[in-house]
């Protein structure tokens, strides 16, 4: 291409441009410029470079788009199929590192860290990402396991993900093992793992829970669920142990409290027993809105068809239920101190058909059903019986009262100890006694009162006074009743202020001194008896001994001289 002055613009092979008038060398031709000769280079071709960069950006955008589409398709596939993706070892190590970094402020034991066996990535039906962690262990600096969890499913908060943060919202555990041991002093030790380095008291569990749940990384965690739990309870005080499988646990994390519900099934009886335990732990250093002390806990339990001996072994205030053989259903509510001791107890229990069976060898005293409502104050070791109802073919009564739990020395029971005896005062609103074959007809009293001392082992009842009143009649009894492998024994003394003869015969057991009783039936008609005194002595393996003394007036006595 030429111009008006005859100059030419030339392109070399490399895209460089040179200007020449036809006589000198061209730029880019490879010749050296001559002295005095000038030349100029135009600016590079900007549109071409822009087109090149545009093509590169388009290619990258297309690539990223396909990558995101592939990841999205993979994500949806996991959500709809329920399948999971096993993360490589390097990713598991990264998960461990992030978890340990998040627990840095939890004030766990020095050197404690989390170890994970494997991690699967999955997506739940709500399209929330989930990690399935297996063989999780919280290990201390010496390599001992403080906490062992076979499997944990962690679902993350969608709200936190939208803000660029990864925070779990729910955790589901499976196959965890929980071991509880009650010391001889009645305090509970908790072992959440496989070794003895775990937290040992309710207060320590609460402190660890506060530390962990207070971490920023767990700010969105509101629910923890667990199934297939195994609970082992060893009671050194009662010398018994229980093994519970297929337990179910739900933990709700609120601002001022941590609540847990634990359901279990006991399979050692003929009919499975169900129990649901609810615990509420206060947070912080104050008192929760519901009155929960920060250092302690509120406990409530619902039992169904639980053996009376099991309930007696688990609760010192109810130790006397070991004398009864019957299924129990009902509710219990208690307050626990930070060291696990009972601060207060209230119970409303119903007993099914069973018997009073203090020892083998003594004939059980059967009943059809019973109900009791009670409370316990550990400071004074006093058991308050708000209501007691017993119904059977041989006994029906309604009563209330209180009892003081005592140790072996007769002093008030200290927290954590087992009672050796109970001193009780009971008021009766109604009493009907009709043991099978013992009396001629049921014996009824409208009101009464009883002062007694119950010794649990060996079984013995010391009756200070039993007063029963029906109209103008006043019956007073004192003595002892005991049971051993040979049978029942008794030493009872009875006093009646006044009574009619026919009423006396109703109170006289048919099998006790039957000849004397038969003589009274045959020969004494109408009579008013006063100052009646009777004594009964029962010794296992021997005939009963009975004595009777009284004064009478206005009597009709038949005397057969031929006899």
């Amino acid at each position: 291409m030429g111009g008006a002055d005859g100059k030419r613009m030339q392109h070399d092979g490399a895209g460089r441009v040179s200007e020449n008038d036809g006589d000198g060398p061209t730029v880019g031709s490879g010749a050296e410029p001559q002295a005095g000769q000038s030349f100029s280079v135009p600016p590079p071709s900007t549109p071409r470079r822009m087109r090149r960069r545009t093509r590169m950006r388009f290619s990258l955008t297309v690539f990223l788009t396909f990558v995101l589409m592939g990841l999205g398709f993979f994500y949806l596939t996991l959500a709809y199929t329920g399948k999971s993706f096993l993360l490589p070892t390097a990713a598991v190590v990264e998960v461990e590192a992030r978890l340990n970094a998040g627990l840095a402020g939890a004030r766990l034991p020095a050197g404690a860290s989390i170890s994970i066996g494997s991690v699967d990535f999955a997506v739940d039906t709500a399209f929330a990402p989930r990690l399935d962690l297996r063989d999780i262990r919280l290990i201390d600096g010496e390599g001992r396991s403080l906490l062992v969890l076979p499997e944990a499913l962690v679902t993350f908060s969608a709200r936190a993900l939208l803000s660029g943060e990864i925070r779990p919202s729910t955790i589901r555990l499976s196959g965890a093992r929980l071991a509880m041991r009650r010391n001889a002093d009645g305090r509970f030790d908790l072992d959440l793992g496989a070794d003895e380095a775990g937290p040992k008291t309710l207060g320590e569990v609460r402190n660890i829970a506060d530390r962990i749940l207070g971490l920023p990384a767990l700010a969105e965690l509101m629910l923890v669920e667990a199934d297939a739990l195994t609970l082992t309870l060893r009671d050194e005080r009662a010398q018994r142990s229980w093994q519970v499988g297929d337990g179910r646990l739900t933990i709700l994390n609120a601002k001022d409290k941590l609540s847990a519900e634990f359901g279990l099934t006991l399979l050692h009886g003929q009919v499975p027993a169900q129990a649901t335990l609810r615990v509420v732990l206060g947070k912080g250093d104050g008192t929760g809105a519901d009155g929960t002390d920060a250092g302690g806990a509120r406990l409530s339990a619902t039992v169904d068809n639980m053996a009376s001996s099991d309930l007696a072994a688990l609760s010192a205030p109810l130790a006397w239920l070991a004398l009864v053989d019957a299924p129990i259903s009902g509710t219990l509510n208690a307050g626990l101190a930070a060291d696990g001791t009972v601060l207060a107890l209230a119970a409303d229990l119903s007993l099914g058909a069973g018997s009073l069976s203090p020892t083998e060898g003594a004939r059980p005293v059967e009943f059809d059903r019973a109900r009791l409502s009670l409370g316990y104050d550990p400071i004074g070791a006093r058991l308050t019986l708000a209501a007691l109802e017993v119904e059977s073919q041989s006994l029906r009564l309604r009563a209330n009262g209180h009892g003081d739990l005592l140790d072996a020395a007769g002093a008030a029971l200290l927290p954590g100890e087992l009672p050796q005896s109970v001193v009780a005062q009971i008021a009766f609103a109604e009493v009907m006694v009709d043991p099978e074959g013992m009396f001629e007809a049921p014996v009824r009293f409208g009101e009464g009162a009883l002062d007694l001392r119950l010794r649990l082992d060996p079984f013995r009842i010391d009756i200070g006074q039993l007063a029963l009143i029906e109209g103008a009649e006043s019956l007073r009894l004192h003595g002892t009743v005991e049971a051993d492998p040979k049978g029942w024994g008794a030493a009872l003394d009875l006093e009646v202020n006044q009574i009619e003869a026919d009423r006396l015969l109703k109170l006289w057991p048919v099998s006790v001194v039957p000849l004397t009783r038969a003589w009274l039936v045959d020969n004494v008609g109408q009579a008013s008896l006063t100052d009646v005194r009777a004594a009964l002595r029962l010794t296992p393996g021997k005939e009963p001994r009975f004595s009777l003394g009284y004064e009478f007036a206005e009597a009709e006595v038949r005397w057969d001289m031929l006899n």
Side-chain angles (χ1 to χ4, degrees), residues 140-263:
D140 67 3
E142 298 180 2
R144 296 177 299 182
S145 296
L146 303 179
L147 182 66
V148 178
L149 295 174
E151 184 178 6
L153 281 64
V154 183
T155 302
F156 297 94
S157 169
R159 182 177 61 180
L161 288 175
L162 292 176
S163 61
E165 297 178 337
I166 300 178
R167 294 181 177 180
S169 59
T170 63
I171 297 178
R172 290 178 171 84
L173 311 176
S174 180
R177 290 173 289 126
L178 173 63
M180 300 180 67
R181 179 172 62 92
R182 181 158 61 178
N183 299 328
D185 60 1
R187 288 179 171 83
F188 284 96
D189 285 353
L190 304 180
D191 181 7
L192 301 178
D195 301 303
E196 295 299 326
K200 291 299 177 184
T201 66
L202 183 65
E204 292 180 10
V205 171
R206 173 249 181 187
N207 290 338
I208 290 180
D210 279 352
R211 294 170 187 173
I212 294 178
L213 296 177
L215 296 174
L218 299 180
E220 300 288 336
L221 182 59
M222 298 298 162
L223 174 65
V224 177
E225 294 180 324
D227 59 11
L229 295 179
T230 300
L231 170 65
T232 301
L233 173 59
R234 301 189 303 274
D235 194 336
E236 296 181 355
R237 187 175 66 179
Q239 299 298 313
R240 295 187 61 181
S241 63
W242 293 266
Q243 185 81 23
V244 179
D246 194 25
R248 303 163 303 282
L249 175 66
T250 301
I251 298 176
L252 297 176
N253 180 28
K255 181 179 179 181
D256 61 344
K257 64 183 179 181
L258 184 68
S259 59
E261 180 175 306
F262 181 46

Side-chain angles (χ1 to χ4, degrees), residues 22 72 117 120 275 280 384 443 472 524 560:
D120 285 358
V280 179
T384 301
V443 178
V524 178
D560 190 350

Side-chain angles (χ1 to χ4, degrees), residues 182 237 307-316 318-323 418:
R182 181 158 61 178
R237 187 175 66 179
S308 56
S309 58
D310 290 339
L311 192 58
L314 293 172
S315 177
L318 302 179
W320 49 275
L321 284 175
L323 304 173
L418 279 175

